[in-house]
Amino acid sequence: YRTNIKDYASFMRRDQSPIEVAERAEYFANLGFKAIKIKIGNRWGFDSLPDEAIETVKEVRIAIGDGIDLMVDCNSAYSAPRAIQIGRKLEEYNIFHFEEPVPEYDIESLKKVSEALDVPVAAGEQNIGRYEFKELLVRDAVDIIQPDVIKAGGLLECKKIAAIADAFVKFCTPHNTQPAIGTVATLHFVASTPNCRYPLEYNIEPHPLKDILLKDPPIPKDGYLNVPDK
């Protein structure tokens, strides 16, 4: 279905100030990335403070302008009421998706957040197998599913998950933090799956295995990755 795939620069760190995150985002926007994802909140923090989520997203949006898609990843940082409060404020900054706002096992809270917000809510990186994803879809708890080819059960299982999502008219945006074999596998998954229509996650953090495992690693160019044919 596609051989040239739009990707987003995915930031893994939470130890930087809003200004530092904004500077990193601007740097990667200048490299040609058309989409960027940042972390907010405290991972599994359940509303813990301090929380610079709003200020961080505000500074990043100022730095990269309105032409760059901006994803926001919470890694289960919030309760449903707090996630809704944060999400409504973030909608002012035109975020592309609001990822894993509450713990992955709390489907009812995830559904509450999805129903309360206009911005698409994404989740699924912690889920395994098509039966867990079926629950997310049947209960209409998310707008975008994010199976991880490595964790969810491999390529064949992810193809089944994506097909089920397609029947519910939901898009599939795979989770991917592994820049070596994982990225190659995910590229082939996205290339062969019709409802993988949004940008692919690309981990921009240094990784020692990338150059060891791959003779010719995929390199983003102007915000896109070509699917390897080797």
Side-chain angles (χ1 to χ4, degrees), residues 28 31 40 47 68 72-73 86 88 122-123 143 147 170 172 179 195 217 220:
F28 285 101
L31 285 183
I40 65 167
D47 304 338
I68 306 291
V72 174
D73 188 357
I86 292 283
R88 285 175 175 162
D143 302 296
K170 302 285 187 179
C172 179
N195 59 329

Side-chain angles (χ1 to χ4, degrees), residues 122-176:
E125 68 177 78
Q126 308 291 347
N127 294 98
I128 300 171
R130 58 193 181 277
Y131 300 109
E132 288 191 14
F133 282 91
K134 184 190 76 171
E135 287 299 308
L136 291 176
L137 294 163
V138 167
R139 295 171 69 175
D140 199 20
V142 292
D143 302 296
I144 300 167
I145 62 162
Q146 296 179 292
D148 187 308
V149 171
I150 295 171
K151 295 192 288 184
L155 287 164
L156 180 58
E157 190 69 12
C158 283
K159 291 290 287 183
K160 294 175 181 178
I161 291 165
I164 296 169
D166 202 26
F168 283 86
V169 199
K170 302 285 187 179
F171 290 164
C172 179
T173 299
H175 174 263
N176 171 49

Side-chain angles (χ1 to χ4, degrees), residues 36-47:
I36 288 169
K37 184 173 82 176
I38 62 171
K39 304 281 190 178
I40 65 167
N42 299 299
R43 183 182 175 90
W44 293 97
F46 298 96
D47 304 338

